[in-house]
Amino acid sequence: MLRMEIKPGMGPEFERVWKEVGESVTSHPANIGQWLSRGAEQGEDEVYYIVSDWLDEAQFRAFESSDRHLQHRTKLHPYRSGGSMTTMHVVARLAGAAA
């Protein structure tokens, strides 16, 4: 999961560009999908969360160091003012009634 802090007032443009360049990630054979969410807490108007799901960490790490990823990051970098990333492994899933 990537937490991105976006420069003030640039959220709508960031969202547009993220959708435009997303195929460079989702078309990778090991990528399962991506989700973009905006923070809902007080003071998180310019905070976005990107969840990117991969078959395994090794293939994600290979993508992360590729030219393809560098080009993707270069297009989103002008909007970013800070952020952090964490990786995790799903250990269990409980489907809700609506599923």
Side-chain angles (χ1 to χ4, degrees):
M1 181 173 71
L2 179 63
R3 180 184 185 276
M4 290 185 72
E5 298 164 14
I6 303 302
K7 294 175 184 174
M10 297 187 88
E13 182 69 8
F14 166 75
E15 290 178 27
R16 184 187 66 74
V17 172
W18 185 86
K19 290 174 191 171
E20 281 180 8
V21 302
E23 187 179 351
S24 67
V25 177
T26 58
S27 64
H28 188 284
N31 183 266
I32 298 169
Q34 281 202 110
W35 298 263
L36 177 65
S37 302
R38 188 174 59 241
E41 298 293 324
Q42 178 82 6
E44 282 197 330
D45 297 338
E46 305 293 339
V47 175
Y48 287 83
Y49 296 90
I50 299 169
V51 175
S52 188
D53 197 6
W54 292 79
L55 291 176
D56 58 52
E57 188 170 352
Q59 292 185 78
F60 165 69
R61 294 296 181 189
F63 171 77
E64 188 179 39
S65 61
S66 70
D67 287 340
R68 183 182 193 169
H69 184 245
L70 179 60
Q71 291 173 7
H72 175 81
R73 279 187 15 214
T74 299
K75 292 177 182 171
L76 294 176
H77 186 75
Y79 305 98
R80 187 175 180 168
S81 65
S84 61
M85 185 181 87
T86 187
T87 59
M88 59 196 103
H89 298 276
V90 175
V91 295
R93 178 183 184 270
L94 301 174

